Amino acid sequence: LNRCLGIDVQAGGLAHTRRRFPQVPMVCGSADRLALDDASVDAITLQHVIEHLADVPAALSEWHRVLTPGGTLLVQTPNADFVDPSVFDDPTHVRVFAATELKEAVAAAGFGVVDLRTLGLPWFRGLDGVPALWRLRHVVTHHATALSRIPWLRGRGQTLCCAARRPTR
C-alpha cells in the first residue's frame, strides 16, 4: 500500500499541491514538528525546505524520529558552492548549505549519508539566446547522472541532493 501525506506550513502551498494531487491527503503544519507517530514513515522528501528552517538540528531529529529504521531521507536545497549564489537571494532563507555542511548536519542527526551530489549544471546560465543551444542542453541533461559522477562537476550544480537512511539498529 503506497500512502503519501503532503505537509506545508503555508495554506497557499497546500492549495496548489491539492489541485495537482487531489488524491493525496494534505495537512498544514511545520516540517520540524510533525504530528506523526515514531517510526511511522518510510520516506521523507524535502524540496527546498531545510534552508528555511531556524533550527535544522531539531528538524533533522524530528525526521529521524518519524522515519522507520532503514527509512530514507531525501533533501534538496540550494548549493552554497554554486558559481552564481545570487540565484538564492531569498529573504526567507535562514541558511544555504555547502555540501560538507549538509552532510555533517545530516550525519550528526544519526543518519547514514548514502549519496550527496548536485543537480543543475552551471554551463547554460545566461546562454538562452544562443541558437541551437537546446541540442547541447538535451545531450547534457540526458547524461546528467553520469556527468554528476565526475569529481570536478559533482559539487558544481545549483541544487544539493542528499540521500540518507535511518540506521536499522
Side-chain angles (χ1 to χ4, degrees):
L1 177 66
N2 288 331
R3 292 184 294 171
C4 295
L5 173 66
I7 300 173
D8 200 316
V9 72
Q10 296 181 344
L14 285 176
H16 174 73
T17 305
R18 276 191 185 107
R19 285 191 297 276
R20 293 191 64 210
F21 303 99
Q23 72 283 7
V24 176
M26 303 285 165
V27 296
C28 197
S30 177
D32 56 354
R33 288 182 310 280
L34 301 172
L36 300 170
D37 293 334
D38 293 356
S40 63
V41 176
D42 291 325
I44 296 174
T45 61
L46 301 135
Q47 186 172 12
H48 294 271
V49 171
I50 199 168
E51 68 273 13
H52 298 276
L53 302 178
D55 191 347
V56 170
L60 284 162
S61 177
E62 177 69 352
W63 303 334
H64 191 277
R65 179 188 72 77
V66 301
L67 275 171
T68 57
T72 301
L73 175 70
L74 300 171
V75 177
Q76 290 186 350
T77 187
N79 180 9
D81 292 329
F82 185 60
V83 295
D84 182 8
S86 70
V87 300
F88 309 128
D89 287 344
D90 179 341
T92 67
H93 285 174
V94 175
R95 178 177 181 188
V96 177
F97 290 86
T100 54
E101 296 167 333
L102 181 61
K103 185 175 184 176
E104 288 169 2
V106 170
F111 290 97
V113 176
V114 176
D115 194 12
L116 183 71
R117 65 181 64 207
T118 63
L119 296 176
L121 299 173
W123 305 322
F124 303 115
R125 295 194 55 73
L127 298 176
D128 289 334
V130 176
L133 185 64
W134 67 270
R135 287 187 180 111
L136 178 59
R137 183 177 294 153
H138 174 75
V139 169
V140 170
T141 303
H142 182 72
H143 298 290
T145 300
L147 288 168
S148 72
R149 291 187 185 114
I150 299 170
W152 63 274
L153 288 178
R154 190 173 179 87
R156 304 225 355 130
Q158 185 171 339
T159 300
L160 286 175
C161 302
C162 180
R165 286 220 167 83
R166 178 178 169 183
T168 55
R169 296 182 226 178

